[in-house]
Every structure is written in structure tokens, then in C-alpha cells.
């Protein structure tokens, strides 16, 4: 039955490249895509995490350690990667939350590097190699719709990703370009917080949500899979937030 499900999936035999695929949303999406028969290629800046992730994926999966903060590295990777079907970009560093009065603007600029500029570079250099019927999936965040105090920079990045998604969908058509807009999800994104603070965040945010809990990476992965598999939607920012935008 498992083999039949793989053969019947729209992802069976498709090559999926995931930048930021060694942890969090990226790894969860790599696992889910591989389970449906896709050939996955994960890319991350950390060799140890790439090695650990590859051990959790089927034989034949590929993994590369590349500093994604460098445009030249991204260009070189796609020149060597060859043709593929779907590009998923989830790479992100842990972001610091500060009130505007405490924000050092030169430091704040750096948060756009990996999350925005490297995503733009990945699409620029990856899109020419995407097979007909393929897609690009980017990552935003609910802070663009419902920012909290101290989220000025994070919200700005999320809003930029939503606009970028729509613009790229127009420019790159018929390649489909969409993004996933997650709410608070239990991933290593929050590892910069002390454990007690992190668990407190999960509880406080979760209790306020309509679903009464924060999300899991595997749930966000389902959104990425849907956006890859469907063939009609493009320029869309799919919100998966447990109801955060409504409360």
C-alpha cells in the first residue's frame, strides 16, 4: 500500500530542492516529500545538521553544506545542481525581538540577509532550472499580519516576503510561486530563548489560539506539499496559524 501511495502521488519521481532543509519546516517537508516518492536535495549552512538530516531521509537523498548568506554560493550551487521540479526556501536564522527604541538598525539589516535577499537569490538562480509544471515555495510568517510589540523587524520581513511572492508569480509565470505563512510553531527557530522562556512562549501563545496549542513542523510541511502538488494556485500566501490572525 505504501508503494502504491508513492506511485500515485504528484510528487513521485519529482526532484525537490530545499534550502534550509536540515531542520524545522525544511526537514519536515523533506521527509514528507520523500515519503511520497520525491527525490529530495537538502541544503543548509551547517554540515553537522546536514549529516544528521540525511540519516533521517531515504537512501539516495542528497545533502550539501553551503553558506546561503553568500550570493555567489547560491549561484554556484544551482549551476551544478541541474534540472529539478520544486524549490522550497525555509532558511532562516534565529531572530531577536526588540522594541524600536532598542533596535540597532545596522544589526536589524542583517536579518534581511538570509530571510529575504538569499531567498531572492535562490529564486533568481534556481528558476531557470525548474522543469515545466514546477514551483517555488517561500516562507513568510504571521507577524506580517498580526505583529506584536517588539516585532517591528520580523513583521517587516514577513510583509516583504508576501509582496515578493506575488511579484515573482507574475514575473516567472508559468512557474508557480507561493509562500507558506506559519504562526508560532515548535521548531529550533526559538532556540535562542532560554528553555523556560521558550516553553512559556509556547504555552502563552498556544492558550490564546483558537486551536489551543502552537503548531508542529509536520503540520507546516503539509502546506508546502499542497502548494507543490496543486497546479492552479500561484501568487498565494497560505496562512497556517492556528487562528492567530483571528484573535
Amino acid at each position: 500500500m505504501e508503494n502504491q501511495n508513492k506511485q500515485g502521488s504528484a510528487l513521485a519521481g519529482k526532484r525537490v530542492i530545499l534550502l534550509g532543509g536540515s531542520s524545522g519546516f525544511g526537514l519536515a517537508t523533506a521527509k514528507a516529500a520523500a515519503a511520497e516518492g520525491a527525490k529530495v536535495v537538502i541544503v543548509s549552512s551547517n554540515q553537522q545538521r546536514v549529516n544528521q538530516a540525511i540519516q533521517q531521509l531515504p537512501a539516495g537523498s542528497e545533502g550539501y553544506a553551503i553558506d546561503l548568506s553568500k550570493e555567489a554560493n547560491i549561484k554556484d550551487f544551482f549551476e551544478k545542481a541541474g534540472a529539478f521540479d520544486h524549490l522550497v526556501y525555509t532558511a532562516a536564522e534565529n531572530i531577536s525581538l526588540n522594541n524600536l527604541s532598542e533596535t540597532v538598525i545596522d544589526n536589524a539589516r542583517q536579518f534581511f540577509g538570509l530571510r529575504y535577499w538569499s531567498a531572492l537569490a535562490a529564486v533568481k538562480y534556481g528558476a531557470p532550472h525548474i522543469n515545466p509544471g514546477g514551483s517555488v515555495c517561500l516562507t513568510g510568517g504571521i507577524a506580517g499580519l498580526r505583529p506584536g510589540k517588539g516585532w517591528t523587524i520580523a513583521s517587516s520581513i514577513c510583509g516583504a516576503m508576501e509582496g515578493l511572492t506575488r511579484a515573482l508569480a507574475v514575473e516567472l509565470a508559468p512557474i508557480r510561486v507561493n509562500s507558506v505563512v506559519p504562526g508560532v510553531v515548535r521548531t529550533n527557530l526559538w532556540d535562542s530563548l532560554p528553555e523556560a522562556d521558550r516553553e512559556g512562549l509556547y504555552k502563552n501563545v498556544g492558550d490564546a489560539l483558537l486551536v489551543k496549542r502552537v503548531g508542529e513542523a509536520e503540520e507546516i510541511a503539509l502546506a508546502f506539499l499542497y502548494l507543490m502538488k496543486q497546479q492552479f494556485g500561484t501568487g498565494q500566501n497560505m496562512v497556517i496559524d492556528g487562528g492567530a490572525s483571528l484573535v
Side-chain angles (χ1 to χ4, degrees):
M1 180 64 70
E2 182 179 353
N3 288 336
Q4 290 178 350
N5 290 338
K6 287 183 179 181
Q7 292 172 359
S9 170
L11 291 179
K14 302 298 184 181
R15 191 165 185 239
V16 180
I17 295 181
L18 304 101
L19 274 61
S22 67
S23 62
F25 306 151
L27 180 56
T29 303
K31 289 179 179 179
E36 295 202 13
K39 302 174 182 178
V40 298
V41 181
I42 62 170
V43 180
S44 176
S45 299
N46 186 293
Q47 183 69 63
Q48 183 178 2
R49 284 204 301 267
V50 170
N51 294 343
Q52 293 171 345
I54 283 293
Q55 294 176 4
Q56 302 174 56
L57 295 168
S61 300
E62 301 174 56
Y64 302 93
I66 296 170
D67 183 354
L68 295 174
S69 69
K70 308 295 185 184
E71 178 185 354
N73 293 349
I74 295 173
K75 179 181 180 182
D76 183 64
F77 169 76
F78 281 108
E79 286 177 348
K80 297 176 180 177
F84 63 101
D85 299 284
H86 301 286
L87 171 62
V88 177
Y89 191 94
T90 63
E93 72 284 269
N94 296 344
I95 193 168
S96 299
L97 304 179
N98 291 301
N99 292 333
L100 181 61
S101 61
E102 301 166 354
T103 299
V104 179
I105 294 179
D106 281 343
N107 293 343
R109 286 192 180 101
Q110 298 175 15
F111 289 117
F112 279 82
L114 189 60
R115 293 168 178 268
Y116 179 85
W117 291 115
S118 291
L120 185 66
V123 180
K124 175 181 179 179
Y125 297 115
H129 305 285
I130 294 177
N131 292 323
S135 73
V136 173
C137 293
L138 303 175
T139 307
I142 197 62
L145 295 172
R146 290 296 299 269
K149 185 177 180 180
W151 285 74
T152 300
I153 303 305
S155 178
S156 299
I157 297 170
C158 293
M161 294 307 297
E162 293 192 24
L164 176 63
T165 296
R166 289 187 285 267
L168 290 175
V170 172
E171 182 164 341
L172 299 180
I175 294 173
R176 294 177 295 105
V177 184
N178 297 290
S179 80
V180 175
V181 182
V184 175
V185 180
R186 193 184 299 270
T187 71
N188 59 311
L189 178 67
W190 304 100
D191 284 355
S192 59
L193 295 176
E195 183 177 1
D197 293 346
R198 185 166 65 247
E199 292 302 321
L201 171 74
Y202 292 153
K203 184 179 189 308
N204 292 336
V205 171
D207 287 347
L209 293 176
L210 298 180
V211 298
K212 299 305 178 185
R213 63 175 178 82
V214 298
E216 302 292 340
E218 292 74 16
E219 294 169 315
I220 306 305
L222 294 176
F224 282 109
L225 256 64
Y226 168 74
L227 291 173
M228 285 187 274
K229 291 162 67 174
Q230 61 80 27
Q231 292 290 312
F232 196 54
T234 189
Q236 301 303 304
N237 296 290
M238 177 178 285
V239 176
I240 309 291
D241 68 351
S245 56
L246 301 176
V247 296

